[in-house]
Amino acid sequence: MSVGGFGSGGGEVASDRADTFSYTPARRLRPNAKVLPEHARGHNRALVLQTLFASGAMSRADIARATGLTRVSISDLVASLIADNLIVEIGLRETSRPGKPATLIDINRDEFQIVGLDLSDTELFRGAVLTLDGDIVTLREVPLDGSTGEQAIDKAVALAAGLLEEATVEVLGIGVGSPGVVDMTGTVRSAPNLGWTDVDLQGALEQVAQVPVLVANDANAAVLAEYSFGGADGDLMLVSVGNGVGAGLLVGGHPLFGSRFAAGEIGHVVVGTDGGPLCACGKRGCLEAWLAVPHLRELLDAVDAAGLPAEEVVLRQDEILRAAGERLGISLAAIVGALNLSEIVVSGPEELLGGVLLAAAIDTVRERTMTEFHGGVQIRMSEQGSDIVLRGTAVMVLSGLLGVS
Ligand SMILES: [Zn+2]
């Protein structure tokens, strides 16, 4: 299943990618709506690419079987994709059977790279040249040194420009995971930490790039990494816990953006009716006020510094983590109920979030949802590590330009 909503959904992108690309939300009232004849070819091209992306090298006959398209159609599509340099014949299948061995074809993984930027850290911008499989070839970090506004934009643009030069093969596109609320045109509507309001980040990057640029919220990028590289299902929520708390959502394999592009912004939703820690936004008891990493570390450090016996330290620290996990679970339960998610993945420092806190969140979701419908929801830590946003930007580009994820 491919992720819809990022870009053109794999239309005729190869011949003139830069011109045909658009980053617009797909209107998909019926996910399985019939494909119109004029769109069928682009759809089928994406289907072939998606099949190869997910399964690796195959013969034409394998692809025909996997896609349900005829051998004739596949031969034709493969020929046009080879002409566009997007797929390549990689040799003959080793076989002990008599007869001519099949020719294997694959996505031209060595001929393209992707440039990704992760702007979500408060201290530095990270950028990478990535393979089509989301592996990092070159990683660069630029300290922010307190930069905001124009200065921060310039740093992001310079980082991208440098990485474009470091790429060793053609760059398919640039993907960016930005903090804050990002609309479909790649404009950052609001990212308070960077002092950005209505910043046309996509436009700024396009001035230095001859390739398409896609900008999304960092958690919306991260959820794609989990989907494509973490083996997650299409009804997925990725909860990112760091200095703030945000989430990216896929429903039926489609990213959710929301009416004002702020779907998944759960950090400043108050959890419970009993107050709670004061939040930077002025409210009390926001999920972020309970869960943000600096806040939790501060509480745990205070217990450490209190000179208590070792067992008492563990008990009190577990209590802090359990309380935070419970609030996370309360927040998640309603979302699980509303969307009937199959999986929730938490991304952030494993040593802080992965033990008592996650267990408490899981228990709370179980207690507060209907076992019959929601008992199967998987709640786990991400295994994508600190590169999750960068890897997600690669999927944004793949999905937007080739229709694969
Ligand atoms: Zn708040």
Side-chain angles (χ1 to χ4, degrees):
M1 188 196 303
S2 79
V3 173
F6 279 90
S8 61
E12 301 295 323
V13 292
S15 48
D16 51 353
R17 273 175 229 125
D19 300 331
T20 54
F21 172 71
S22 67
Y23 180 46
T24 50
R27 245 178 212 285
R28 293 174 199 264
L29 294 176
R30 292 173 298 155
N32 296 318
K34 258 201 155 61
V35 178
L36 298 170
E38 61 268 33
H39 297 146
R41 191 173 166 79
H43 174 86
N44 288 342
R45 277 169 62 100
L47 193 58
V48 170
L49 290 170
Q50 176 66 39
T51 303
L52 290 169
F53 182 69
S55 306
M58 300 170 107
S59 70
R60 287 170 175 80
D62 294 335
I63 300 173
R65 265 191 299 277
T67 59
L69 297 171
T70 65
R71 297 278 290 265
V72 174
S73 297
I74 291 298
S75 282
D76 180 43
L77 288 163
V78 165
S80 95
L81 287 163
I82 287 176
D84 289 334
N85 204 29
L86 285 173
I87 65 177
V88 65
E89 292 187 337
I90 60 167
L92 300 177
R93 171 177 285 153
E94 284 181 26
T95 173
S96 53
R97 282 179 297 181
K100 190 165 168 270
T103 303
L104 293 175
I105 54 179
D106 196 5
I107 289 188
N108 206 348
R109 296 172 200 261
D110 299 332
E111 287 290 316
F112 296 99
Q113 289 172 335
I114 292 166
V115 167
L117 302 185
D118 173 6
L119 312 183
S120 63
D121 195 294
T122 52
E123 303 294 320
L124 48 84
F125 284 166
R126 304 172 78 231
V129 176
L130 299 113
T131 68
L132 298 194
D133 293 311
D135 295 325
I136 289 176
V137 181
T138 308
L139 182 68
R140 294 281 173 254
E141 294 183 346
V142 180
L144 269 175
D145 295 326
S147 299
T148 57
E150 284 289 336
Q151 250 189 341
I153 298 169
D154 291 346
K155 282 191 173 173
V157 170
L159 179 59
L163 288 163
L164 284 171
E165 283 183 13
E166 292 198 64
T168 51
V169 292
E170 186 180 338
V171 172
L172 198 58
I174 299 175
V176 183
S178 167
V181 174
V182 183
D183 72 15
M184 294 300 151
T185 69
T187 297
V188 181
R189 296 283 187 94
S190 167
N193 285 343
L194 291 168
W196 287 354
T197 304
D198 294 332
V199 165
D200 180 10
L201 190 58
Q202 181 178 317
L205 287 162
E206 276 169 350
Q207 301 209 329
V208 298
Q210 303 302 311
V211 294
V213 179
L214 297 116
V215 184
N217 167 270
D218 55 339
N220 286 346
V223 74
L224 296 179
E226 200 58 57
Y227 177 73
S228 288
F229 304 125
D233 192 47
D235 291 286
L236 165 70
M237 181 175 189
L238 183 287
V239 182
S240 167
V241 182
N243 289 303
V245 176
L249 280 152
L250 289 185
V251 175
H254 297 288
L256 280 193
F257 298 104
S259 61
R260 296 181 68 184
F261 316 108
E265 291 289 332
I266 56 173
H268 294 288
V269 176
V270 173
V271 195
T273 55
D274 56 349
L278 184 64
C279 183
C281 74
K283 297 196 289 278
R284 273 195 180 277
C286 290
L287 182 61
E288 188 164 309
W290 285 100
L291 208 61
V293 166
H295 171 72
L296 285 178
R297 290 235 159 93
E298 202 177 299
L299 292 178
L300 298 181
D301 288 348
V303 175
D304 265 333
L308 300 163
E311 313 88 78
E312 186 66 18
V313 169
V314 171
L315 281 176
R316 291 201 187 186
Q317 290 186 333
D318 281 359
E319 195 47 50
I320 290 164
L321 294 170
R322 199 171 296 118
E326 191 178 15
R327 299 289 164 155
L328 174 61
I330 293 169
S331 296
L332 295 178
I335 302 166
V336 167
L339 299 177
N340 193 199
L341 297 172
S342 59
E343 206 164 356
I344 293 174
V345 182
V346 179
S347 162
E350 169 96 36
E351 80 286 356
L352 195 63
L353 309 172
V356 173
L357 193 154
L358 187 72
I362 293 170
D363 287 347
T364 306
V365 171
R366 297 265 181 269
E367 282 163 16
R368 287 173 176 248
T369 54
M370 287 184 72
T371 311
E372 183 186 356
F373 305 129
H374 311 302
V377 62
Q378 299 288 316
I379 305 175
R380 62 175 173 88
M381 291 299 297
S382 172
E383 290 170 7
Q384 297 297 310
S386 56
D387 297 327
I388 186 167
V389 173
L390 286 174
R391 287 162 68 77
T393 64
V395 183
M396 283 165 58
V397 171
L398 286 167
S399 166
L401 302 183
L402 303 183
V404 306
S405 53

